[in-house]
Amino acid sequence: MTESKKEFLRTVKFTLFSISAGIVQVVVFTLLEEVLHWQHWVCYLLALCASVLWNFTLNRKFTFHSASNIPIAMAKVAGFYVVFTPLSTWWTAVLTGPKVGWNEYVVLVLTMVANFVSEYLFQRFVVFRNSLDT
């Protein structure tokens, strides 16, 4: 299989698993927001954590076929989220707050798109760069 075909299939798999992770995130977010009525940023943060664990597990095994050291790979992903989570939690609070007042679900979807693109690039070129298809 050519390298470009492998990369295309890798991108398709990542997209499909990310969609499933997005579903996990929306379900957890909705339960916490609508049923428990927790603060929006808490709902977002917990839903993001559930989504990240789901996405990492599936993509490591099926998208990147990585046999690399799982704790090290997860630490790298955690490093990504040490930056992404505070930023996205901050912009979520600002955009859904009383001064801006955007709909929580619009902000959630926009944040998920930003997460999708940046996470793919980070996992592909940093986390699993040297362990693809091992």
Side-chain angles (χ1 to χ4, degrees):
M1 181 181 306
T2 67
E3 198 59 37
S4 62
K5 187 172 181 176
K6 275 186 184 179
E7 231 18 76
F8 175 75
L9 290 174
R10 190 172 285 130
T11 304
V12 169
K13 287 178 188 178
F14 189 87
T15 300
L16 294 174
F17 289 135
S18 293
I19 290 169
S20 73
I23 292 167
V24 168
Q25 186 170 350
V26 169
V27 167
V28 171
F29 175 84
T30 302
L31 289 172
L32 296 174
E33 177 93 13
E34 303 297 336
V35 175
L36 299 178
H37 305 289
W38 288 0
Q39 287 187 329
H40 179 77
W41 71 269
V42 174
C43 300
Y44 166 71
L45 188 59
L46 293 175
L48 177 65
C49 290
S51 171
V52 168
L53 290 172
W54 175 270
N55 203 29
F56 173 81
T57 302
L58 293 175
N59 278 309
R60 184 193 66 78
K61 182 162 179 71
F62 299 110
T63 302
F64 299 110
H65 303 282
S66 174
S68 69
N69 186 308
I70 295 171
I72 290 173
M74 192 61 186
K76 290 177 182 178
V77 171
F80 171 85
Y81 281 99
V82 162
V83 174
F84 183 84
T85 302
L87 286 174
S88 61
T89 302
W90 170 76
W91 77 57
T92 295
V94 169
L95 293 174
T96 61
K99 288 186 180 180
V100 180
W102 286 13
N103 179 279
E104 291 89 352
Y105 292 95
V106 170
V107 174
L108 179 63
V109 168
L110 292 173
T111 301
M112 289 169 73
V113 170
N115 187 14
F116 167 74
V117 172
S118 58
E119 186 177 14
Y120 175 79
L121 294 172
F122 188 79
Q123 286 194 16
R124 170 61 181 88
F125 296 107
V126 176
V127 176
F128 300 115
R129 172 188 66 214
N130 295 322
S131 66
L132 293 173
D133 304 319
T134 54

